[in-house]
Amino acid sequence: MECAIMGKFCPLILSSSRILMVEKKNVLGIRDKFKFCSSKFKIQALEAETHLSSEVGAERRGSSTDVGIGELVWPSPSDEIPFWKKDFPSWGVSPEVPADINKDSDRMHIIHVTAEMAPIAKVGGLGDVVTGLARACLSRGHAVEIMLPFYECIQKQQIKDLALITTYESYHGGNWVPTNAYRGEVSGIPVVFIEPSNHFFKGQFVYGGSYNELEAYLFFSRACLEWMQATGAQPDIIHVHEWQAGALPLLYWDMYHYLSLKKPRIVLTIHNMEHYGECSQEQLSKSGLDGSIYATIDKAIDDRTIGHNPERLSLLKGGIVYSNAVVTVSPTYLKETLCTGWLASTLLRNRDKYFGVLNGIDTAMWNPATDIFLPVKFNAQKPEGKKLCKYYVQRGLGLALEGTLDGNHLPDITCKVPLVVCITRLVPQKGLHLISHAIKHVEELGGQMVILGKASDVRVEREFEGLAKLHNQGPSTRILLMFSEELSHMLYAAADMVLVPSMYEPCGLSQMIGMRYGAVPVVRMTGGLADTVFDVDDQSNHDRANGFVFEGIDEGSLNWALDRAFAHYREKADEWNGIIGKVMEVDNSWNNTAGKYVEIYNSVRVRL
Ligand code: ADP
């Protein structure tokens, strides 16, 4: 049997039969003992498997080590089913509350109202944040629920104990719309799914269905309050997210508070100020409010449209004005939004209730030691498995392999070809010109690059399709235009560097997740990236130094950061390994920051 380096591979199956002991400096870059089968490229990495067994054992439960190296089948680009689409154990983390989390003495009932929730309805960071924060608050002893539209695209098998709990009516555009409320559990969090009987939320994707999105979310915002009223729920906090739930604070204070909802107070988190829920007075009136009342500077008018015909409203602005507290997702983004953008004046007027709380990541969902999508698990103490993840991804995508397959032996890794990944929505915010420039520059530098991205704009999609056509046949670049949770986990695990060259970035999770998986961040200094990544060459910040940072929005600035990162990787192996160890230990978990949200909740709640 012959093994090619690119494109066509023999299956390298790891098994325990017919074992021959070989000791060599292997793909892990350390002297590990591997047992190789002489005939069919069967291999068992005894030590790689046992290294993590104790840590992973606690979280085994049918996921973490089931895909152990002992059964690993090396993928190939010619596989009928791509390696990231094979059957994985169903995803979701244990609902069990970690024992080491201190409970808050004063417990609250918190209901999130959101358009996204990971993993069942995730498009970007919003979904991760809602799930992560909800789980963190549950761990601290609070009662937490999430209310989510019941999108047709949600895979019902991912919901535990799904059941219809209420059928009620909610108002929209002159009609009372029969609506179902279902309850179920996702990743340990109780979720209420709102399903109107009209066409809202139908379609293959979370966003972009053939219905009016603004009106659908207006409906949803009122339907959540209507459900609370119908069921007698009186949470301490209704936590609304983004423009999609921006009308809820208006509906609460100008309608439902006069009806039966007395106790709740409203917290709004703005995850991205770019989307502000542009709305006409007539559209807002469809929710049952009088839209014309909100067309003033101190309420919901979009300041830029004053004097235009027609003037417009902004649900996000209305949400800012009508919420008891407003949070954005990093301290630096808070400062930036007070200085720039048309909402700055509204935020300044509401400065005393405006806070910046850095997002966290859910370290149970994003854990390389237990991640069900990884072919081999690893952690900061035993990072060897990361190299196998890189090798696995390189093989699966048909990228050139470092070193050659020598008979039955895994290749020696020279550590000269860093793998850079960029996992992102392909929108201008993310620095599209820098992403496409990085493809060229990484190639020039002799590295490899994988982009996993999804564009919502057809022109952007076409542009990246063109780049994919140009580069995907070569040995060093793969541009994959899709959304894949599974592949994203594998890429973070495989990456030497994670690139986030955003023009602006409210917080950014990609760099935090990358770090947890031992990928060194290369980022532009903006928003939450500036709060989480500190340049290795900045002597004044030596203790926190954990990545490569550039400031300019031009290609030269990006080159400078990539050049330095590549030089470190190639010429200072020990230092580089030190950075990997450091980034994997950085605590970007919600445990670190959820307490700040609890403080904010406590500062606005009332006791009736
Ligand atoms: P944003 O919220 O602006 O999209 P963040 O960095 O805050 O950016 O969060 C992005 C989240 O979405 C991360 O979990 C990232 O891994 C994920 N993601 C983005 N694009 C994709 C994709 N094409 N496939 C899978 N996951 C993706």
Side-chain angles (χ1 to χ4, degrees):
M1 194 183 293
E2 213 179 73
C3 286
I5 297 306
M6 240 201 67
K8 222 173 116 199
F9 303 109
C10 63
L12 188 52
I13 301 161
L14 302 164
S15 123
S16 57
S17 62
R18 300 183 59 203
I19 288 163
L20 164 73
M21 285 295 283
V22 178
E23 194 182 40
K24 73 182 288 279
K25 189 160 190 310
N26 56 41
V27 65
L28 305 180
I30 54 152
R31 294 186 73 80
D32 265 350
K33 285 181 185 135
F34 283 84
K35 293 177 178 180
F36 288 92
C37 293
S38 56
S39 62
K40 288 194 176 170
F41 299 96
K42 293 186 175 179
I43 182 172
Q44 185 185 47
L46 282 180
E47 290 188 1
E49 189 174 27
T50 50
H51 275 150
L52 288 174
S53 57
S54 56
E55 167 166 359
V56 167
E59 292 173 85
R60 233 167 239 260
R61 281 183 287 280
S63 63
S64 54
T65 51
D66 290 349
V67 192
I69 194 161
E71 296 128 35
L72 189 58
V73 178
W74 296 106
S76 143
S78 56
D79 290 342
E80 210 171 305
I81 300 173
F83 62 95
W84 63 90
K85 285 198 176 153
K86 65 182 192 200
D87 277 341
F88 293 97
S90 78
W91 193 41
V93 281
S94 160
E96 284 162 36
V97 173
D100 55 342
I101 303 284
N102 289 336
K103 300 276 177 284
D104 291 322
S105 52
D106 210 357
R107 308 217 173 148
M108 284 175 276
H109 179 196
I110 303 146
I111 297 185
H112 290 267
V113 175
T114 173
E116 288 186 39
M117 165 185 197
I120 55 169
K122 167 176 163 178
V123 176
L126 170 62
D128 286 315
V129 169
V130 170
T131 302
L133 176 60
R135 279 169 50 78
C137 289
L138 274 171
S139 306
R140 297 171 72 108
H142 301 284
V144 185
E145 291 167 287
I146 290 178
M147 298 191 76
L148 186 73
F150 208 164
Y151 298 105
E152 192 180 28
C153 62
I154 288 179
Q155 292 182 359
K156 297 197 176 51
Q157 69 273 16
Q158 289 188 295
I159 307 167
K160 197 171 148 214
D161 300 333
L162 181 66
L164 178 66
I165 47 164
T166 329
T167 295
Y168 66 111
E169 292 186 333
S170 193
Y171 181 87
H172 184 74
N175 299 307
W176 286 90
V177 181
T179 300
N180 290 326
Y182 294 80
R183 195 182 273 288
E185 194 187 290
V186 178
S187 300
I189 309 164
V191 183
V192 175
F193 297 93
I194 300 298
E195 180 189 58
S197 55
N198 60 17
H199 60 302
F200 290 159
F201 309 120
K202 301 278 186 288
Q204 273 184 287
F205 302 106
V206 169
Y207 301 129
S210 48
Y211 52 87
N212 184 307
E213 221 151 56
L214 184 110
E215 292 186 13
Y217 288 114
L218 274 174
F219 170 84
F220 172 62
S221 297
R222 178 157 180 181
C224 289
L225 291 171
E226 192 65 38
W227 178 81
M228 290 177 212
Q229 170 149 288
T231 57
Q234 294 275 359
D236 296 288
I237 300 293
I238 304 175
H239 190 158
V240 300
H241 297 267
E242 296 289 64
W243 71 266
Q244 287 97 337
L248 190 146
L250 282 60
L251 284 156
Y252 176 75
W253 286 112
D254 286 350
M255 192 184 289
Y256 284 85
H257 192 61
Y258 293 110
L259 299 170
S260 71
L261 296 181
K262 301 292 177 203
K263 192 175 172 197
R265 292 296 178 266
I266 317 285
V267 174
L268 163 70
T269 294
I270 306 174
H271 299 256
N272 192 330
M273 212 77 65
E274 192 188 352
H275 311 294
Y276 51 86
E278 180 183 315
C279 176
S280 69
Q281 292 178 26
E282 294 73 31
Q283 281 175 311
L284 184 55
S285 295
K286 288 191 176 183
S287 72
L289 295 170
D290 176 354
S292 65
I293 288 176
Y294 300 92
T296 64
I297 284 203
D298 59 344
K299 291 192 170 166
I301 203 161
D302 178 337
D303 304 44
R304 298 166 307 173
T305 69
I306 294 172
H308 290 205
N309 187 13
E311 293 175 339
R312 312 287 291 171
L313 302 178
S314 154
L315 295 185
L316 188 63
K317 176 175 169 182
I320 293 168
V321 171
Y322 276 75
S323 293
N324 298 91
V326 180
V327 180
T328 196
V329 291
S330 70
T332 297
Y333 192 57
L334 176 132
K335 283 188 214 146
E336 290 170 356
T337 53
L338 285 168
C339 300
T340 51
W342 70 270
L343 278 166
S345 55
T346 304
L347 292 168
L348 279 168
R349 275 200 298 278
N350 290 277
R351 181 68 186 93
D352 55 342
K353 64 172 187 184
Y354 184 38
F355 306 93
V357 179
L358 193 68
N359 280 337
I361 53 171
D362 190 314
T363 46
M365 286 187 160
W366 295 104
N367 184 357
T370 57
D371 193 320
I372 56 164
F373 300 128
L374 303 193
V376 188
K377 324 297 174 203
F378 58 94
N379 64 18
Q381 286 68 44
K382 305 288 177 195
E384 296 82 8
K386 185 168 172 65
K387 296 228 166 91
L388 282 169
C389 288
K390 178 177 176 183
Y391 185 73
Y392 183 92
V393 164
Q394 285 173 318
R395 285 194 71 149
L397 295 179
L399 290 166
L401 298 168
E402 241 187 305
T404 51
L405 275 180
D406 169 19
N408 301 350
H409 302 158
L410 284 168
D412 284 321
I413 296 284
T414 52
C415 288
K416 295 292 178 222
V417 187
L419 175 63
V420 183
V421 306
C422 180
I423 301 171
T424 184
R425 293 181 296 118
L426 289 170
V427 292
Q429 174 203 337
K430 301 294 179 181
L432 295 176
H433 68 292
L434 294 183
I435 294 174
S436 45
H437 175 76
I439 298 168
K440 264 191 290 166
H441 196 60
V442 167
E443 220 169 74
E444 281 160 11
L445 290 174
Q448 294 182 346
M449 178 146 190
V450 179
I451 294 171
L452 174 62
K454 190 151 165 37
S456 44
D457 182 301
V458 186
R459 276 168 307 178
V460 176
E461 194 174 338
R462 294 279 169 278
E463 184 192 330
F464 277 83
E465 275 170 3
L467 288 170
K469 225 175 185 172
L470 203 65
H471 294 275
N472 277 7
Q473 300 309 315
S476 58
T477 306
R478 294 293 176 268
I479 299 164
L480 305 158
L481 300 176
M482 61 185 175
F483 184 94
S484 167
E485 187 70 37
E486 296 86 345
L487 184 55
S488 75
H489 286 238
M490 295 183 208
L491 289 177
Y492 286 122
D496 295 299
M497 298 167 199
V498 59
L499 175 67
V500 193
S502 305
M503 296 297 96
Y504 74 93
E505 192 58 75
C507 178
L509 298 181
S510 197
Q511 81 283 8
M512 295 195 211
I513 300 168
M515 286 195 258
R516 177 124 171 103
Y517 283 64
V520 177
V522 179
V523 307
R524 194 168 159 265
M525 188 162 62
T526 178
L529 299 171
D531 292 328
T532 51
V533 184
F534 307 96
D535 198 281
V536 162
D537 291 326
D538 176 1
Q539 297 306 328
S540 66
N541 224 340
H542 187 70
D543 288 350
R544 295 198 291 180
N546 60 2
F548 296 85
V549 180
F550 62 99
E551 270 188 70
I553 59 168
D554 60 305
E555 288 80 359
S557 300
L558 170 63
N559 288 355
W560 176 70
L562 280 172
D563 293 350
R564 289 186 300 122
F566 271 58
H568 257 82
Y569 179 85
R570 286 176 172 153
E571 292 155 25
K572 301 180 184 169
D574 287 347
E575 246 183 65
W576 186 265
N577 287 332
I579 302 173
I580 293 178
K582 194 167 173 183
V583 294
M584 290 188 79
E585 297 284 20
V586 173
D587 186 359
N588 281 315
S589 73
W590 273 111
N591 299 340
N592 231 359
T593 53
K596 300 211 171 88
Y597 266 105
V598 172
E599 273 173 32
I600 292 167
Y601 294 157
N602 266 317
S603 72
V604 299
R605 73 183 290 199
V606 291
R607 291 159 214 272
L608 296 180

